[in-house]
């Protein structure tokens, strides 16, 4: 079915018709301008809405009614809703929320959240179109719930990498269920998703979790990989679990969504509630992830140490590597907070080393001016540059399928040192600090603890109210239930065209590496040239039956292992590969 729209108002009318529509509807517009297209795109981009520019003057918008649960209010607000148990169990009985009689909460004037309360995804809007755009269901306790206290059998699992605050979330889910909803059966699943297959679980009660928020890590253990949907749901069914709280990052949330879908397919009265965890702050839609503040704060200690070391010696360079696989938020915020950093490198902002506007030139200038400098690098920065300068390396993956990174910290350390000796005849006093795991293995700070409490409480209120397949989190400072597929559809990254990155550039005065594309092209051309000449020499080597050359890592002056130098590595790898 096709709809023609020429402006946002037409679109609104179109949205009213969605609920009665077939799975896929397309709309075309011949009048949409670029700015309107971008605005549509920002408002509606998700698994539920797809927007494609098919021709220069034509935009096609489709709504995937199979995944979407889209509601429109009489004022024109669009709600991207989360699933509810009644979607597949329409006759479930409801019960009065016991919080009505809770002594602590009885003082709250408007305690229960109305079902019509929604939170706008975008708070900065155009005066003429205010109220348009996507909204999410506001989190919080409902007056009617879908579980009796004695019926609830809840479990909690933590998956993926560590993050400060995991224990606080566990603690607050347990204490919240126990004290607010009188739930007594709460189980801890051991070691991530694979823990569902093992026999053992831990009985959780306020007594067991009382002081766990003071410890880093997760008392339940965690893991990567090992997700088998049907085995997990079998285990949920066998144990009679009806509330599953899943704490983890993007991978974990994807896993949670398929568990939810399978529970729904089997017609089970089981809610799956996701609590987003990521130290990298790379989960879309929500304002910020828990543990991020703590990590940025802890990173200050490493940056301070790097600064002290650097300014105490001649040509002192402090190099700090921080976490951030695809998103450089920790590095960016740690740099902005510190003010001692001269150069911040993140995955979203490519850099290059040699020539005008490059890193070496900048480092030389900064050392001449100040005598020292501090560099902060996110672990995912410069991956393309390193891979190209070292020759193509295997793209290894961890058990969850995440790409394993080339070590940008070691690479920078070695290349900076070598370059300064070779080109400027000046040795650097470079101190490399790698606190990556130290910033995520600590307990959460005070503000993260409060944040974790809100997340946990929002999750239990949502589960008791029968919502499921949701991720909980603050959107514009208001906690919401967001469809899981919405937060996993894309990954949040630092927008280098945004004011925050501009603030960083103006505080460090670092170059913006505008010649990056040109530099990479030159590097590729050089490598291609080397490759063709090496193939010729390899043929000679093979003909003369010489011994194979093995690929080994070189050592630096102090005997520490280090990465092989780029222009030495390439011929060695190729010669070895051809034997
Ligand atoms: N697409 C997916 N479908 C199902 N499970 C997944 C998916 N991606 C990751 N997982 C599971 O989620 C867990 C955590 O994923 P991982 O990527 O390691 O960490 P994080 O959740 O922190 O991003 C692992 O057990 C992994 O098997
Ligand atoms: O060594 P591990 O446990 O695989 O963790 C390394 C990765 O974990 C992270 O902290 C984020 O992991 P998650 O995807 O689990 O949130 C990255 O910054 C880092 O690359
Ligand atoms: Mg992840």
């Amino acid at each position: 079915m096709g709809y023609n729209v020429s402006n946002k108002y037409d679109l609104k009318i179109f949205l009213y018709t969605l609920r009665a529509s077939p799975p896929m509807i397309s709309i075309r517009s011949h009048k949409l301008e670029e700015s309107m297209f971008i605005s549509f795109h920002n408002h509606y981009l998700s698994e539920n809405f797809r927007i494609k520019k098919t021709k220069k003057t034509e935009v096609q918008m489709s709504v995937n009614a199979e995944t979407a649960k889209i509601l429109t209010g009489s004022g024109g607000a669009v709600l991207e809703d989360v699933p509810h148990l009644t979607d597949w169990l329409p006759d479930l009985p409801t019960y009065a929320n016991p919080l009505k009689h809770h002594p602590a909460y009885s003082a709250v004037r408007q305690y229960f959240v109305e079902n019509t309360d929604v939170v706008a995804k975008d708070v900065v809007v155009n005066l003429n179109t205010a109220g348009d755009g996507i909204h999410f269901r506001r989190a919080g306790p409902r007056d009617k719930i879908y579980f009796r206290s004695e019926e609830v059998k809840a479990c909690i699992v933590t998956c993926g990498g560590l993050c400060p605050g995991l224990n606080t979330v566990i603690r607050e889910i347990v204490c919240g269920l126990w004290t607010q909803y009188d739930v007594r059966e709460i189980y801890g699943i051991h070691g991530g998703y694979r823990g569902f297959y093992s026999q053992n679980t831990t009985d959780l009660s306020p007594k067991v979790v009382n002081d766990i928020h003071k410890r880093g890590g997760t008392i339940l253990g965690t893991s990567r990989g090992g997700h088998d949907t049907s085995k997990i749901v079998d285990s949920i069914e066998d144990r009679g679990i009806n509330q599953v709280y899943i704490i983890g990052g993007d991978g974990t949330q994807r896993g949670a969504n398929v568990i939810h879908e399978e529970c729904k397919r089997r017609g089970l009265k089981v809610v799956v509630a996701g609590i987003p965890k990521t130290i990298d702050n790379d989960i879309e839609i929500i304002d910020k992830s828990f543990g991020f503040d703590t990590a940025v704060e802890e990173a200050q200690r490493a940056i301070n140490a790097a600064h002290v070391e650097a300014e105490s010696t001649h040509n002192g360079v402090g190099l700090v590597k921080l976490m951030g696989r695809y998103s450089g938020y920790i590095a960016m915020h740690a740099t902005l907070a510190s003010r001692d950093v001269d150069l911040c490198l993140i995955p979203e902002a490519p850099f290059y080393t040699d020539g005008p506007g490059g890193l070496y030139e900048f480092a030389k200038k900064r050392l001449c001016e100040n005598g020292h400098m501090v560099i902060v690098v996110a672990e995912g920065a410069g991956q393309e540059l390193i891979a190209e300068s070292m020759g193509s390396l295997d793209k290894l993956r961890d058990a969850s399928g995440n790409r394993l990174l080339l070590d940008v910290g070691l690479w920078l350390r070695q290349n900076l040192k070598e370059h300064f000796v070779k080109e400027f005849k000046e040795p650097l006093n470079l101190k490399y600090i790698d606190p990556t795991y130290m910033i995520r293995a600590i307990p959460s700070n005070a503000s993260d603890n409060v944040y974790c409490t809100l997340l946990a409480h929002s999750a239990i209120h949502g589960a008791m109210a029968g919502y499921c397949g949701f991720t909980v989190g603050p959107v514009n400072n208001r906690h919401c239930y967001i469809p899981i597929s919405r937060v996993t559809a894309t990954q949040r990254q630092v927008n280098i065209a945004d004011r925050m990155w501009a603030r960083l550039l103006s505080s460090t005065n670092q170059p913006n590496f505008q010649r990056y594309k040109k530099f990479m092209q030159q590097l590729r051309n050089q490598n291609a040239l080397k490759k063709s000449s090496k193939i010729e020499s390899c043929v000679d080597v093979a003909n003369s039956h010489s011994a194979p050359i093995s690929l080994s890592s070189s050592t630096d002056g102090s005997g520490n292992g280090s990465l092989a130098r780029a222009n030495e590595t390439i011929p060695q790898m190729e010669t070895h590969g051809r034997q």
Side-chain angles (χ1 to χ4, degrees):
M1 192 183 296
Y3 288 83
N4 282 320
V5 297
S6 52
N7 56 43
K8 280 195 174 185
Y9 304 101
D10 287 354
L11 179 72
K12 236 185 222 178
I13 292 164
F14 158 71
L15 288 168
Y16 279 113
T17 66
L18 289 181
R19 291 185 75 193
S21 304
M24 217 51 158
I25 321 160
S26 299
I27 53 165
R28 276 171 208 89
S29 169
H30 298 276
K31 285 192 188 162
L32 286 182
E33 293 154 10
E34 188 69 11
S35 61
M36 199 173 274
F37 169 67
I38 291 168
S39 157
F40 275 9
H41 200 265
N42 291 343
H43 273 77
Y44 298 106
L45 179 73
S46 78
E47 280 216 338
N48 296 335
F49 297 94
R50 292 206 187 89
I51 298 182
K52 205 165 69 178
K53 197 161 187 179
T54 40
K55 286 183 201 151
K56 208 172 174 196
T57 54
E58 188 179 280
V59 172
Q60 206 174 61
M61 176 170 172
S62 17
V63 174
N64 189 347
E66 260 171 11
T67 59
K69 202 176 165 190
I70 310 291
L71 307 173
T72 41
S74 50
V78 180
L79 168 65
E80 231 183 305
D81 205 2
V82 293
H84 191 273
L85 284 175
T86 51
D87 293 349
W88 66 95
L89 299 168
D91 301 322
L92 281 181
T94 57
Y95 311 94
N97 193 324
L99 273 172
K100 259 182 189 149
H101 311 292
H102 193 289
Y105 291 97
S106 57
V108 182
R109 203 173 292 156
Q110 203 211 335
Y111 192 68
F112 295 117
V113 170
E114 299 290 333
N115 277 341
T116 45
D117 284 357
V118 293
V119 176
K121 177 176 165 278
D122 299 311
V123 286
V124 180
V125 291
N126 184 298
L127 180 65
N128 300 320
T129 54
D132 197 355
I134 291 293
H135 295 70
F136 298 111
R137 200 170 270 290
R138 186 180 167 199
R142 270 39 187 189
D143 64 343
K144 285 207 173 67
I145 55 172
Y146 283 79
F147 291 92
R148 278 176 288 112
S149 306
E150 60 276 19
E151 172 197 357
V152 175
K153 222 173 173 187
C155 75
I156 308 174
V157 64
T158 51
C159 312
L162 289 184
C163 182
L166 281 166
N167 278 336
T168 315
V169 176
I170 297 170
R171 184 189 190 280
E172 296 309 319
I173 292 174
V174 173
C175 294
L177 281 172
W178 193 283
T179 60
Q180 297 180 40
Y181 288 102
D182 299 321
V183 172
R184 293 294 176 266
E185 280 191 89
I186 311 167
Y187 302 101
I189 304 291
H190 295 176
Y193 279 129
R194 59 183 86 238
F196 276 102
Y197 326 135
S198 78
Q199 291 299 310
N200 301 334
T201 53
T202 301
D203 290 351
L204 298 172
S205 66
K207 209 170 166 190
V208 173
V209 298
N210 185 41
D211 61 356
I212 61 170
H213 60 296
K214 295 175 186 163
R215 282 180 254 159
T218 155
I219 57 156
L220 300 177
T222 186
S223 65
R224 297 198 190 272
H227 180 105
D228 183 327
T229 313
S230 59
K231 273 166 81 179
I232 291 171
V233 180
D234 286 350
S235 156
I236 289 170
E237 242 188 308
D238 293 348
R239 292 173 204 258
I241 288 167
N242 48 24
Q243 292 190 3
V244 186
Y245 294 92
I246 301 180
I247 313 169
D250 55 341
T252 308
Q253 300 301 315
R254 277 187 202 101
N257 208 26
V258 287
I259 294 172
H260 155 73
E261 289 295 340
E262 180 60 14
C263 289
K264 182 177 163 184
R265 199 188 62 79
R266 295 190 193 184
L268 304 176
K269 186 185 175 186
V270 173
V271 300
V272 174
I275 296 105
K277 168 245 49 158
T278 155
I279 199 169
D280 292 349
N281 199 27
D282 58 2
I283 292 195
E284 275 291 14
I285 314 287
I286 63 168
D287 296 343
K288 187 167 60 173
S289 52
F290 73 81
F292 175 70
D293 269 359
T294 306
V296 170
E297 207 169 289
E298 186 66 8
Q300 299 302 298
R301 300 201 317 137
I303 296 174
N304 285 344
H307 184 233
V308 170
E309 287 285 348
E311 69 174 355
S312 307
T313 53
H314 176 66
N315 268 350
V317 177
L319 173 62
V320 180
K321 185 176 81 171
L322 297 174
M323 277 191 169
R325 197 188 270 139
Y326 305 112
S327 309
Y329 284 101
I330 298 178
M332 177 170 80
H333 281 249
T335 297
L336 277 166
S338 153
R339 312 273 160 183
D340 284 333
V341 181
D342 297 279
L343 177 63
C344 174
L345 303 170
I346 60 170
E348 298 88 336
F351 68 93
Y352 62 92
T353 46
D354 305 66
L359 189 151
Y360 297 145
E361 184 192 75
F362 175 69
K364 174 86 175 123
K365 185 168 153 262
R366 219 11 97 80
L367 288 169
C368 287
E369 286 163 4
N370 295 346
H372 70 276
M373 77 179 293
V374 175
I375 303 173
V376 166
V377 60
E379 62 181 341
Q383 293 297 302
E384 193 189 13
L385 173 67
I386 305 172
E388 195 60 49
S389 58
M390 291 179 71
S392 55
L393 295 180
D394 281 348
K395 288 191 175 152
L396 298 174
R397 298 199 171 255
D398 71 13
S400 294
N402 301 305
R403 188 158 60 84
L404 291 175
L405 300 172
L406 298 164
D407 196 325
V408 64
L410 289 177
W411 185 86
L412 267 179
R413 180 182 77 159
Q414 181 172 340
N415 282 278
L416 267 165
K417 278 181 162 187
E418 288 183 0
H419 185 84
F420 268 72
V421 170
K422 197 172 148 208
E423 299 297 323
F424 306 130
K425 313 286 178 253
E426 278 185 71
L428 289 181
N429 258 314
L430 191 150
K431 299 291 186 281
Y432 176 46
I433 300 179
D434 179 352
T436 45
Y437 290 101
M438 289 177 70
I439 67 166
R440 75 172 200 185
I442 54 172
S444 43
N445 67 13
S447 78
D448 269 328
N449 269 339
V450 176
Y451 177 25
C452 289
T453 307
L454 292 180
L455 284 173
H457 286 186
S458 297
I460 62 177
H461 292 317
M464 292 301 293
Y467 292 113
C468 41
F470 67 81
T471 293
V472 70
V475 177
N476 300 313
N477 221 9
R478 292 290 184 174
H479 281 248
C480 303
Y481 301 129
I482 310 161
I484 296 180
S485 56
R486 184 60 135 113
V487 292
T488 55
T490 48
Q491 195 161 37
R492 170 182 290 161
Q493 289 198 300
V494 172
N495 180 358
I496 57 168
D498 191 60
R499 283 203 180 82
M500 207 54 158
W501 186 244
R503 273 183 203 109
L504 182 136
L505 293 180
S506 80
S507 92
T508 58
N509 276 316
Q510 67 191 62
N512 57 12
F513 301 107
Q514 264 178 352
R515 288 184 59 252
Y516 174 75
K517 278 192 183 145
K518 210 169 165 191
F519 176 86
M520 287 303 288
Q521 196 47 55
Q522 277 169 358
L523 194 59
R524 275 185 210 113
N525 294 345
Q526 272 172 24
N527 284 347
L529 243 159
K530 273 185 204 158
K531 220 175 194 171
S532 58
S533 65
K534 286 302 157 199
I535 289 169
E536 283 169 25
S537 66
C538 283
V539 174
D540 295 343
V541 170
N543 288 344
S544 65
H545 305 289
S546 71
I549 303 166
S550 66
L551 174 68
S552 61
S553 58
S554 63
T555 55
D556 66 13
S558 56
N560 297 324
S562 58
L563 291 169
R565 212 184 126 81
N567 52 8
E568 290 165 2
T569 312
I570 296 165
Q572 284 178 354
M573 285 181 67
E574 284 170 1
T575 310
H576 188 53
R578 288 174 62 83
Q579 298 303 311

